[in-house]
Amino acid sequence: RDSARAQLVRVVLDSNRTFGTGNVPGGGMSITNGAVVTMTGGRVNHNTVQNGWGGGVRLLGASLTMDSVTIRGNRVLAGAGGG
């Protein structure tokens, strides 16, 4: 089975917020299960996870390449990984 592939160009993921009772993934984006993502330009800023992982970017068992991307001000209120 082939992994999912995505190319993001000048994408803005800003001020998203996820809520849940536990283990909520990625306020900005969640990349898992062998996916291959390339992001050029854009930003991942000010995203929040209420209770889980990866305020800005959650990366688990996948590949992410970034060029000229700003990552700033992301947070996890209860859990792990604010970036």
Short mmCIF file of all heavy atoms in Angstrom, two decimals:
data_model
loop_
_atom_site.label_atom_id
_atom_site.label_comp_id
_atom_site.label_asym_id
_atom_site.label_seq_id
_atom_site.Cartn_x
_atom_site.Cartn_y
_atom_site.Cartn_z
N ARG A 1 0.83 -1.17 0.00
CA ARG A 1 0.00 0.00 0.00
C ARG A 1 0.88 1.24 0.00
O ARG A 1 1.83 1.34 0.77
CB ARG A 1 -0.90 -0.10 1.22
CG ARG A 1 -1.56 1.15 1.61
CD ARG A 1 -2.48 0.89 2.78
NE ARG A 1 -2.20 1.88 3.78
CZ ARG A 1 -2.71 1.91 4.96
NH1 ARG A 1 -3.54 0.98 5.33
NH2 ARG A 1 -2.43 2.84 5.80
N ASP A 2 0.57 2.20 -0.84
CA ASP A 2 1.33 3.45 -0.92
C ASP A 2 0.95 4.40 0.20
O ASP A 2 -0.22 4.46 0.60
CB ASP A 2 1.09 4.15 -2.26
CG ASP A 2 1.68 3.37 -3.42
OD1 ASP A 2 2.71 2.71 -3.21
OD2 ASP A 2 1.10 3.41 -4.51
N SER A 3 1.92 5.15 0.67
CA SER A 3 1.65 6.18 1.67
C SER A 3 1.02 7.39 1.01
O SER A 3 1.26 7.68 -0.15
CB SER A 3 2.97 6.60 2.34
OG SER A 3 3.57 5.51 2.98
N ALA A 4 0.22 8.11 1.78
CA ALA A 4 -0.35 9.36 1.28
C ALA A 4 0.76 10.39 1.11
O ALA A 4 1.71 10.44 1.88
CB ALA A 4 -1.40 9.87 2.25
N ARG A 5 0.65 11.21 0.07
CA ARG A 5 1.62 12.26 -0.20
C ARG A 5 0.90 13.58 -0.38
O ARG A 5 -0.17 13.62 -0.98
CB ARG A 5 2.42 11.97 -1.46
CG ARG A 5 3.30 10.74 -1.34
CD ARG A 5 4.12 10.52 -2.61
NE ARG A 5 4.96 9.37 -2.46
CZ ARG A 5 6.19 9.40 -1.95
NH1 ARG A 5 6.70 10.53 -1.56
NH2 ARG A 5 6.89 8.30 -1.82
N ALA A 6 1.51 14.65 0.15
CA ALA A 6 0.91 15.98 -0.01
C ALA A 6 2.01 17.00 -0.18
O ALA A 6 3.07 16.90 0.46
CB ALA A 6 0.04 16.33 1.18
N GLN A 7 1.78 17.98 -1.03
CA GLN A 7 2.69 19.11 -1.18
C GLN A 7 1.89 20.37 -0.87
O GLN A 7 0.90 20.68 -1.54
CB GLN A 7 3.26 19.18 -2.59
CG GLN A 7 4.24 20.32 -2.75
CD GLN A 7 4.97 20.26 -4.07
OE1 GLN A 7 4.80 19.34 -4.85
NE2 GLN A 7 5.79 21.25 -4.31
N LEU A 8 2.31 21.09 0.17
CA LEU A 8 1.63 22.30 0.60
C LEU A 8 2.49 23.51 0.23
O LEU A 8 3.66 23.56 0.60
CB LEU A 8 1.41 22.28 2.11
CG LEU A 8 0.75 21.01 2.67
CD1 LEU A 8 0.71 21.07 4.19
CD2 LEU A 8 -0.64 20.84 2.10
N VAL A 9 1.93 24.46 -0.49
CA VAL A 9 2.67 25.66 -0.91
C VAL A 9 1.97 26.89 -0.37
O VAL A 9 0.78 27.12 -0.66
CB VAL A 9 2.78 25.72 -2.45
CG1 VAL A 9 3.53 26.96 -2.89
CG2 VAL A 9 3.46 24.46 -3.00
N ARG A 10 2.69 27.67 0.44
CA ARG A 10 2.18 28.90 1.04
C ARG A 10 0.86 28.70 1.79
O ARG A 10 -0.06 29.51 1.70
CB ARG A 10 2.06 30.01 0.00
CG ARG A 10 3.41 30.46 -0.53
CD ARG A 10 3.31 31.61 -1.51
NE ARG A 10 2.55 31.34 -2.71
CZ ARG A 10 3.01 30.75 -3.81
NH1 ARG A 10 4.26 30.34 -3.85
NH2 ARG A 10 2.24 30.56 -4.86
N VAL A 11 0.79 27.64 2.56
CA VAL A 11 -0.39 27.33 3.36
C VAL A 11 -0.25 28.02 4.72
O VAL A 11 0.83 28.02 5.31
CB VAL A 11 -0.56 25.80 3.54
CG1 VAL A 11 -1.64 25.47 4.54
CG2 VAL A 11 -0.85 25.17 2.19
N VAL A 12 -1.34 28.57 5.22
CA VAL A 12 -1.36 29.21 6.53
C VAL A 12 -2.28 28.41 7.46
O VAL A 12 -3.46 28.26 7.17
CB VAL A 12 -1.85 30.67 6.44
CG1 VAL A 12 -1.99 31.27 7.82
CG2 VAL A 12 -0.91 31.49 5.57
N LEU A 13 -1.70 27.87 8.53
CA LEU A 13 -2.46 27.16 9.57
C LEU A 13 -2.34 28.02 10.82
O LEU A 13 -1.34 27.98 11.52
CB LEU A 13 -1.88 25.77 9.80
CG LEU A 13 -1.89 24.85 8.59
CD1 LEU A 13 -1.04 23.62 8.84
CD2 LEU A 13 -3.30 24.49 8.22
N ASP A 14 -3.34 28.84 11.08
CA ASP A 14 -3.23 29.86 12.11
C ASP A 14 -4.48 29.88 12.99
O ASP A 14 -5.61 29.88 12.50
CB ASP A 14 -3.06 31.22 11.43
CG ASP A 14 -2.52 32.30 12.35
OD1 ASP A 14 -2.57 32.13 13.58
OD2 ASP A 14 -2.05 33.32 11.83
N SER A 15 -4.24 29.88 14.29
CA SER A 15 -5.28 30.07 15.31
C SER A 15 -6.35 28.97 15.32
O SER A 15 -7.53 29.25 15.57
CB SER A 15 -5.94 31.44 15.15
OG SER A 15 -4.95 32.45 15.28
N ASN A 16 -5.95 27.74 15.05
CA ASN A 16 -6.86 26.59 15.17
C ASN A 16 -6.79 26.08 16.61
O ASN A 16 -5.77 26.18 17.27
CB ASN A 16 -6.47 25.47 14.21
CG ASN A 16 -6.60 25.90 12.79
OD1 ASN A 16 -7.69 26.18 12.32
ND2 ASN A 16 -5.48 25.99 12.08
N ARG A 17 -7.88 25.49 17.07
CA ARG A 17 -7.91 24.95 18.42
C ARG A 17 -8.68 23.63 18.42
O ARG A 17 -9.79 23.56 17.88
CB ARG A 17 -8.58 25.94 19.36
CG ARG A 17 -8.49 25.54 20.79
CD ARG A 17 -8.92 26.67 21.69
NE ARG A 17 -8.73 26.26 23.06
CZ ARG A 17 -8.33 27.05 24.03
NH1 ARG A 17 -8.06 28.30 23.77
NH2 ARG A 17 -8.19 26.60 25.24
N THR A 18 -8.08 22.58 19.00
CA THR A 18 -8.77 21.30 19.11
C THR A 18 -9.11 21.04 20.56
O THR A 18 -8.36 21.39 21.47
CB THR A 18 -7.92 20.14 18.56
OG1 THR A 18 -6.70 20.07 19.29
CG2 THR A 18 -7.62 20.30 17.10
N PHE A 19 -10.26 20.43 20.79
CA PHE A 19 -10.74 20.11 22.13
C PHE A 19 -11.03 18.62 22.20
O PHE A 19 -11.35 18.00 21.20
CB PHE A 19 -12.05 20.86 22.43
CG PHE A 19 -11.90 22.34 22.45
CD1 PHE A 19 -12.14 23.08 21.31
CD2 PHE A 19 -11.53 22.99 23.61
CE1 PHE A 19 -12.01 24.46 21.32
CE2 PHE A 19 -11.39 24.37 23.62
CZ PHE A 19 -11.64 25.11 22.48
N GLY A 20 -10.98 18.08 23.37
CA GLY A 20 -11.32 16.68 23.57
C GLY A 20 -11.02 16.27 24.99
O GLY A 20 -10.44 17.03 25.76
N THR A 21 -11.37 15.05 25.32
CA THR A 21 -11.15 14.58 26.68
C THR A 21 -9.80 13.89 26.85
O THR A 21 -9.41 13.59 27.95
CB THR A 21 -12.28 13.63 27.10
OG1 THR A 21 -12.33 12.55 26.17
CG2 THR A 21 -13.60 14.35 27.15
N GLY A 22 -9.10 13.63 25.76
CA GLY A 22 -7.79 13.01 25.87
C GLY A 22 -7.23 12.60 24.53
O GLY A 22 -7.96 12.22 23.63
N ASN A 23 -5.91 12.75 24.39
CA ASN A 23 -5.18 12.28 23.22
C ASN A 23 -5.66 12.90 21.90
O ASN A 23 -5.75 12.24 20.88
CB ASN A 23 -5.23 10.76 23.13
CG ASN A 23 -4.64 10.12 24.36
OD1 ASN A 23 -3.71 10.66 24.96
ND2 ASN A 23 -5.16 8.98 24.75
N VAL A 24 -5.98 14.18 21.93
CA VAL A 24 -6.38 14.89 20.72
C VAL A 24 -5.13 15.26 19.94
O VAL A 24 -4.20 15.83 20.50
CB VAL A 24 -7.18 16.17 21.09
CG1 VAL A 24 -7.56 16.94 19.86
CG2 VAL A 24 -8.41 15.79 21.88
N PRO A 25 -5.05 14.96 18.63
CA PRO A 25 -3.84 15.24 17.87
C PRO A 25 -3.88 16.57 17.10
O PRO A 25 -4.90 16.94 16.54
CB PRO A 25 -3.79 14.08 16.88
CG PRO A 25 -5.21 13.75 16.63
CD PRO A 25 -5.94 14.04 17.92
N GLY A 26 -2.72 17.24 17.08
CA GLY A 26 -2.44 18.33 16.15
C GLY A 26 -3.41 19.48 16.05
O GLY A 26 -4.40 19.39 15.35
N GLY A 27 -3.12 20.60 16.71
CA GLY A 27 -3.95 21.79 16.54
C GLY A 27 -3.82 22.38 15.14
O GLY A 27 -4.80 22.81 14.55
N GLY A 28 -2.60 22.38 14.60
CA GLY A 28 -2.37 22.88 13.25
C GLY A 28 -2.52 21.78 12.21
O GLY A 28 -3.36 21.86 11.32
N MET A 29 -1.70 20.74 12.31
CA MET A 29 -1.82 19.59 11.42
C MET A 29 -1.26 18.35 12.10
O MET A 29 -0.38 18.43 12.95
CB MET A 29 -1.13 19.83 10.08
CG MET A 29 0.35 20.01 10.11
SD MET A 29 0.97 20.21 8.41
CE MET A 29 2.39 21.21 8.73
N SER A 30 -1.81 17.21 11.73
CA SER A 30 -1.39 15.92 12.26
C SER A 30 -1.01 15.04 11.08
O SER A 30 -1.82 14.80 10.20
CB SER A 30 -2.53 15.28 13.06
OG SER A 30 -2.11 14.05 13.60
N ILE A 31 0.25 14.58 11.07
CA ILE A 31 0.77 13.79 9.95
C ILE A 31 1.19 12.43 10.52
O ILE A 31 2.07 12.36 11.37
CB ILE A 31 1.97 14.49 9.30
CG1 ILE A 31 1.57 15.91 8.88
CG2 ILE A 31 2.48 13.68 8.11
CD1 ILE A 31 2.76 16.78 8.54
N THR A 32 0.53 11.36 10.05
CA THR A 32 0.76 10.03 10.63
C THR A 32 0.74 8.95 9.55
O THR A 32 0.53 9.23 8.37
CB THR A 32 -0.32 9.70 11.67
OG1 THR A 32 -1.59 9.66 11.02
CG2 THR A 32 -0.37 10.71 12.80
N ASN A 33 0.94 7.72 9.98
CA ASN A 33 0.75 6.51 9.16
C ASN A 33 1.50 6.49 7.85
O ASN A 33 0.95 6.15 6.81
CB ASN A 33 -0.75 6.29 8.90
CG ASN A 33 -1.53 6.08 10.18
OD1 ASN A 33 -1.01 5.52 11.13
ND2 ASN A 33 -2.75 6.57 10.21
N GLY A 34 2.78 6.89 7.87
CA GLY A 34 3.61 6.79 6.69
C GLY A 34 3.40 7.88 5.66
O GLY A 34 3.96 7.82 4.56
N ALA A 35 2.63 8.90 5.98
CA ALA A 35 2.40 10.00 5.04
C ALA A 35 3.71 10.73 4.76
O ALA A 35 4.60 10.79 5.60
CB ALA A 35 1.37 10.98 5.59
N VAL A 36 3.82 11.30 3.58
CA VAL A 36 4.98 12.08 3.17
C VAL A 36 4.48 13.47 2.79
O VAL A 36 3.72 13.61 1.82
CB VAL A 36 5.72 11.42 1.98
CG1 VAL A 36 6.88 12.28 1.54
CG2 VAL A 36 6.19 10.02 2.36
N VAL A 37 4.87 14.48 3.57
CA VAL A 37 4.38 15.84 3.36
C VAL A 37 5.56 16.78 3.15
O VAL A 37 6.54 16.73 3.88
CB VAL A 37 3.52 16.32 4.56
CG1 VAL A 37 3.09 17.77 4.38
CG2 VAL A 37 2.32 15.41 4.73
N THR A 38 5.44 17.64 2.14
CA THR A 38 6.41 18.71 1.89
C THR A 38 5.67 20.03 1.98
O THR A 38 4.62 20.20 1.36
CB THR A 38 7.03 18.57 0.49
OG1 THR A 38 7.67 17.30 0.40
CG2 THR A 38 8.05 19.66 0.24
N MET A 39 6.20 20.95 2.78
CA MET A 39 5.58 22.27 2.95
C MET A 39 6.60 23.34 2.58
O MET A 39 7.70 23.38 3.14
CB MET A 39 5.10 22.45 4.38
CG MET A 39 4.33 23.71 4.61
SD MET A 39 3.61 23.71 6.29
CE MET A 39 2.73 25.25 6.25
N THR A 40 6.24 24.20 1.64
CA THR A 40 7.13 25.27 1.18
C THR A 40 6.43 26.60 1.39
O THR A 40 5.33 26.82 0.87
CB THR A 40 7.46 25.09 -0.31
OG1 THR A 40 8.00 23.78 -0.51
CG2 THR A 40 8.46 26.13 -0.77
N GLY A 41 7.06 27.48 2.16
CA GLY A 41 6.44 28.76 2.47
C GLY A 41 5.28 28.57 3.43
O GLY A 41 4.90 27.45 3.77
N GLY A 42 4.73 29.66 3.91
CA GLY A 42 3.58 29.59 4.79
C GLY A 42 3.97 29.59 6.25
O GLY A 42 5.11 29.86 6.63
N ARG A 43 2.98 29.28 7.10
CA ARG A 43 3.24 29.32 8.54
C ARG A 43 2.28 28.40 9.30
O ARG A 43 1.19 28.10 8.85
CB ARG A 43 3.15 30.73 9.06
CG ARG A 43 1.80 31.38 8.92
CD ARG A 43 1.83 32.83 9.42
NE ARG A 43 0.51 33.40 9.42
CZ ARG A 43 0.05 34.26 8.53
NH1 ARG A 43 0.82 34.65 7.55
NH2 ARG A 43 -1.17 34.73 8.62
N VAL A 44 2.75 28.00 10.49
CA VAL A 44 1.97 27.21 11.43
C VAL A 44 2.08 27.96 12.77
O VAL A 44 3.04 27.79 13.51
CB VAL A 44 2.51 25.77 11.56
CG1 VAL A 44 1.65 24.95 12.50
CG2 VAL A 44 2.62 25.10 10.20
N ASN A 45 1.12 28.85 13.04
CA ASN A 45 1.22 29.75 14.18
C ASN A 45 -0.03 29.75 15.04
O ASN A 45 -1.15 29.67 14.53
CB ASN A 45 1.42 31.20 13.70
CG ASN A 45 2.75 31.42 13.01
OD1 ASN A 45 3.66 30.62 13.10
ND2 ASN A 45 2.86 32.53 12.32
N HIS A 46 0.18 29.86 16.35
CA HIS A 46 -0.88 30.12 17.33
C HIS A 46 -1.99 29.06 17.32
O HIS A 46 -3.16 29.39 17.47
CB HIS A 46 -1.45 31.52 17.13
CG HIS A 46 -0.41 32.58 17.06
ND1 HIS A 46 0.39 32.89 18.14
CD2 HIS A 46 0.02 33.34 16.03
CE1 HIS A 46 1.26 33.83 17.77
NE2 HIS A 46 1.05 34.11 16.50
N ASN A 47 -1.62 27.81 17.14
CA ASN A 47 -2.57 26.69 17.21
C ASN A 47 -2.49 26.08 18.61
O ASN A 47 -1.43 26.07 19.23
CB ASN A 47 -2.24 25.65 16.14
CG ASN A 47 -2.32 26.24 14.76
OD1 ASN A 47 -3.39 26.53 14.27
ND2 ASN A 47 -1.17 26.44 14.12
N THR A 48 -3.62 25.56 19.08
CA THR A 48 -3.68 25.04 20.45
C THR A 48 -4.39 23.69 20.49
O THR A 48 -5.40 23.50 19.83
CB THR A 48 -4.47 26.03 21.35
OG1 THR A 48 -3.84 27.31 21.29
CG2 THR A 48 -4.50 25.56 22.79
N VAL A 49 -3.83 22.79 21.29
CA VAL A 49 -4.49 21.52 21.60
C VAL A 49 -4.87 21.57 23.08
O VAL A 49 -4.03 21.86 23.93
CB VAL A 49 -3.57 20.32 21.32
CG1 VAL A 49 -4.17 19.04 21.86
CG2 VAL A 49 -3.31 20.18 19.84
N GLN A 50 -6.12 21.30 23.37
CA GLN A 50 -6.62 21.35 24.75
C GLN A 50 -6.01 20.22 25.59
O GLN A 50 -5.55 20.44 26.68
CB GLN A 50 -8.15 21.24 24.76
CG GLN A 50 -8.76 21.25 26.14
CD GLN A 50 -8.63 22.60 26.82
OE1 GLN A 50 -8.67 23.62 26.17
NE2 GLN A 50 -8.45 22.59 28.13
N ASN A 51 -6.02 18.97 25.07
CA ASN A 51 -5.56 17.83 25.85
C ASN A 51 -5.07 16.75 24.88
O ASN A 51 -5.84 15.91 24.45
CB ASN A 51 -6.70 17.29 26.72
CG ASN A 51 -6.24 16.19 27.65
OD1 ASN A 51 -5.05 15.93 27.79
ND2 ASN A 51 -7.18 15.52 28.27
N GLY A 52 -3.81 16.82 24.50
CA GLY A 52 -3.29 15.83 23.55
C GLY A 52 -1.86 16.11 23.15
O GLY A 52 -1.04 16.48 23.97
N TRP A 53 -1.56 16.00 21.85
CA TRP A 53 -0.19 16.13 21.35
C TRP A 53 -0.12 17.12 20.18
O TRP A 53 -1.03 17.18 19.36
CB TRP A 53 0.33 14.80 20.81
CG TRP A 53 0.29 13.67 21.77
CD1 TRP A 53 0.98 13.57 22.94
CD2 TRP A 53 -0.48 12.50 21.65
NE1 TRP A 53 0.68 12.39 23.55
CE2 TRP A 53 -0.21 11.70 22.77
CE3 TRP A 53 -1.38 12.03 20.70
CZ2 TRP A 53 -0.79 10.47 22.97
CZ3 TRP A 53 -1.96 10.80 20.91
CH2 TRP A 53 -1.66 10.04 22.03
N GLY A 54 1.01 17.81 20.10
CA GLY A 54 1.33 18.61 18.91
C GLY A 54 0.46 19.83 18.70
O GLY A 54 -0.43 19.82 17.87
N GLY A 55 0.74 20.89 19.43
CA GLY A 55 -0.02 22.12 19.27
C GLY A 55 0.00 22.64 17.84
O GLY A 55 -1.02 23.01 17.29
N GLY A 56 1.19 22.66 17.24
CA GLY A 56 1.31 23.13 15.85
C GLY A 56 1.35 21.99 14.86
O GLY A 56 0.57 21.95 13.92
N VAL A 57 2.28 21.06 15.07
CA VAL A 57 2.44 19.93 14.15
C VAL A 57 2.62 18.66 14.98
O VAL A 57 3.49 18.59 15.84
CB VAL A 57 3.69 20.11 13.25
CG1 VAL A 57 3.88 18.91 12.35
CG2 VAL A 57 3.60 21.39 12.44
N ARG A 58 1.81 17.67 14.69
CA ARG A 58 2.00 16.34 15.27
C ARG A 58 2.54 15.45 14.16
O ARG A 58 1.92 15.32 13.10
CB ARG A 58 0.69 15.76 15.79
CG ARG A 58 0.88 14.35 16.34
CD ARG A 58 -0.44 13.74 16.70
NE ARG A 58 -0.27 12.42 17.27
CZ ARG A 58 -1.05 11.39 16.96
NH1 ARG A 58 -2.04 11.52 16.12
NH2 ARG A 58 -0.85 10.23 17.52
N LEU A 59 3.70 14.84 14.40
CA LEU A 59 4.34 13.98 13.41
C LEU A 59 4.58 12.63 14.07
O LEU A 59 5.30 12.53 15.06
CB LEU A 59 5.66 14.61 12.97
CG LEU A 59 6.44 13.90 11.88
CD1 LEU A 59 5.66 13.90 10.58
CD2 LEU A 59 7.79 14.58 11.69
N LEU A 60 3.96 11.58 13.53
CA LEU A 60 4.07 10.25 14.12
C LEU A 60 4.15 9.21 13.02
O LEU A 60 3.19 8.99 12.28
CB LEU A 60 2.86 9.98 15.03
CG LEU A 60 2.81 8.62 15.72
CD1 LEU A 60 3.96 8.48 16.70
CD2 LEU A 60 1.49 8.45 16.42
N GLY A 61 5.33 8.60 12.85
CA GLY A 61 5.51 7.55 11.85
C GLY A 61 5.32 8.06 10.43
O GLY A 61 4.77 7.36 9.59
N ALA A 62 5.77 9.28 10.17
CA ALA A 62 5.57 9.91 8.87
C ALA A 62 6.77 10.80 8.56
O ALA A 62 7.70 10.90 9.36
CB ALA A 62 4.29 10.73 8.88
N SER A 63 6.75 11.45 7.41
CA SER A 63 7.85 12.31 6.98
C SER A 63 7.34 13.71 6.68
O SER A 63 6.33 13.87 5.97
CB SER A 63 8.50 11.72 5.73
OG SER A 63 9.43 12.62 5.18
N LEU A 64 8.04 14.72 7.19
CA LEU A 64 7.68 16.11 6.94
C LEU A 64 8.94 16.88 6.58
O LEU A 64 9.91 16.89 7.34
CB LEU A 64 7.02 16.74 8.17
CG LEU A 64 6.76 18.24 8.13
CD1 LEU A 64 5.80 18.58 7.01
CD2 LEU A 64 6.24 18.73 9.47
N THR A 65 8.93 17.53 5.42
CA THR A 65 10.02 18.40 5.00
C THR A 65 9.47 19.80 4.87
O THR A 65 8.43 20.01 4.23
CB THR A 65 10.59 17.95 3.63
OG1 THR A 65 11.04 16.59 3.75
CG2 THR A 65 11.74 18.82 3.19
N MET A 66 10.16 20.77 5.50
CA MET A 66 9.71 22.16 5.45
C MET A 66 10.82 23.05 4.93
O MET A 66 11.99 22.86 5.25
CB MET A 66 9.30 22.65 6.84
CG MET A 66 8.10 21.96 7.41
SD MET A 66 7.75 22.58 9.07
CE MET A 66 5.98 22.42 9.09
N ASP A 67 10.42 24.06 4.12
CA ASP A 67 11.37 25.05 3.61
C ASP A 67 10.69 26.41 3.68
O ASP A 67 9.59 26.59 3.15
CB ASP A 67 11.74 24.71 2.15
CG ASP A 67 12.74 25.68 1.56
OD1 ASP A 67 13.52 26.29 2.33
OD2 ASP A 67 12.74 25.84 0.34
N SER A 68 11.32 27.35 4.36
CA SER A 68 10.81 28.72 4.50
C SER A 68 9.43 28.74 5.16
O SER A 68 8.52 29.43 4.72
CB SER A 68 10.76 29.42 3.13
OG SER A 68 12.05 29.46 2.55
N VAL A 69 9.28 27.98 6.22
CA VAL A 69 8.02 27.90 6.97
C VAL A 69 8.27 28.46 8.38
O VAL A 69 9.24 28.11 9.02
CB VAL A 69 7.51 26.45 7.07
CG1 VAL A 69 6.27 26.36 7.94
CG2 VAL A 69 7.24 25.89 5.68
N THR A 70 7.38 29.31 8.84
CA THR A 70 7.44 29.85 10.19
C THR A 70 6.57 29.01 11.11
O THR A 70 5.41 28.74 10.79
CB THR A 70 6.93 31.30 10.22
OG1 THR A 70 7.72 32.09 9.35
CG2 THR A 70 6.98 31.88 11.63
N ILE A 71 7.14 28.60 12.25
CA ILE A 71 6.38 27.87 13.27
C ILE A 71 6.54 28.66 14.57
O ILE A 71 7.66 28.81 15.07
CB ILE A 71 6.89 26.43 13.45
CG1 ILE A 71 6.78 25.67 12.14
CG2 ILE A 71 6.12 25.73 14.56
CD1 ILE A 71 7.36 24.28 12.20
N ARG A 72 5.43 29.20 15.08
CA ARG A 72 5.54 30.09 16.22
C ARG A 72 4.27 30.08 17.07
O ARG A 72 3.16 30.05 16.55
CB ARG A 72 5.77 31.51 15.71
CG ARG A 72 5.99 32.52 16.80
CD ARG A 72 6.26 33.91 16.26
NE ARG A 72 7.29 33.87 15.26
CZ ARG A 72 7.38 34.73 14.26
NH1 ARG A 72 6.52 35.69 14.11
NH2 ARG A 72 8.34 34.63 13.38
N GLY A 73 4.46 30.12 18.38
CA GLY A 73 3.35 30.35 19.31
C GLY A 73 2.32 29.24 19.42
O GLY A 73 1.18 29.49 19.80
N ASN A 74 2.69 28.01 19.10
CA ASN A 74 1.78 26.87 19.23
C ASN A 74 1.88 26.31 20.64
O ASN A 74 2.92 26.41 21.28
CB ASN A 74 2.13 25.80 18.21
CG ASN A 74 2.02 26.33 16.79
OD1 ASN A 74 0.93 26.61 16.32
ND2 ASN A 74 3.15 26.51 16.14
N ARG A 75 0.79 25.70 21.13
CA ARG A 75 0.86 25.20 22.49
C ARG A 75 -0.09 24.04 22.74
O ARG A 75 -1.07 23.86 22.01
CB ARG A 75 0.57 26.30 23.48
CG ARG A 75 -0.81 26.89 23.34
CD ARG A 75 -0.95 28.16 24.17
NE ARG A 75 -2.30 28.68 24.02
CZ ARG A 75 -2.99 29.24 24.96
NH1 ARG A 75 -2.47 29.37 26.15
NH2 ARG A 75 -4.19 29.68 24.75
N VAL A 76 0.28 23.27 23.78
CA VAL A 76 -0.56 22.19 24.28
C VAL A 76 -0.88 22.54 25.73
O VAL A 76 0.02 22.77 26.53
CB VAL A 76 0.16 20.83 24.20
CG1 VAL A 76 -0.67 19.75 24.84
CG2 VAL A 76 0.49 20.49 22.77
N LEU A 77 -2.16 22.63 26.06
CA LEU A 77 -2.55 23.04 27.41
C LEU A 77 -2.38 21.91 28.41
O LEU A 77 -2.05 22.14 29.56
CB LEU A 77 -4.00 23.53 27.41
CG LEU A 77 -4.25 24.74 26.50
CD1 LEU A 77 -5.70 25.15 26.56
CD2 LEU A 77 -3.33 25.90 26.83
N ALA A 78 -2.60 20.65 27.98
CA ALA A 78 -2.38 19.48 28.84
C ALA A 78 -1.99 18.34 27.92
O ALA A 78 -2.79 17.87 27.14
CB ALA A 78 -3.64 19.13 29.62
N GLY A 79 -0.73 17.92 27.95
CA GLY A 79 -0.27 16.85 27.06
C GLY A 79 1.20 17.07 26.74
O GLY A 79 1.98 17.44 27.59
N ALA A 80 1.57 16.88 25.47
CA ALA A 80 2.98 16.95 25.09
C ALA A 80 3.16 17.63 23.73
O ALA A 80 2.33 17.50 22.84
CB ALA A 80 3.56 15.54 25.03
N GLY A 81 4.28 18.36 23.59
CA GLY A 81 4.69 18.90 22.30
C GLY A 81 3.96 20.14 21.84
O GLY A 81 2.96 20.06 21.17
N GLY A 82 4.48 21.31 22.19
CA GLY A 82 3.84 22.55 21.80
C GLY A 82 4.15 23.02 20.40
O GLY A 82 3.41 23.79 19.84
N GLY A 83 5.29 22.58 19.82
CA GLY A 83 5.70 23.06 18.50
C GLY A 83 4.82 22.62 17.42
O GLY A 83 4.15 23.26 16.73
#
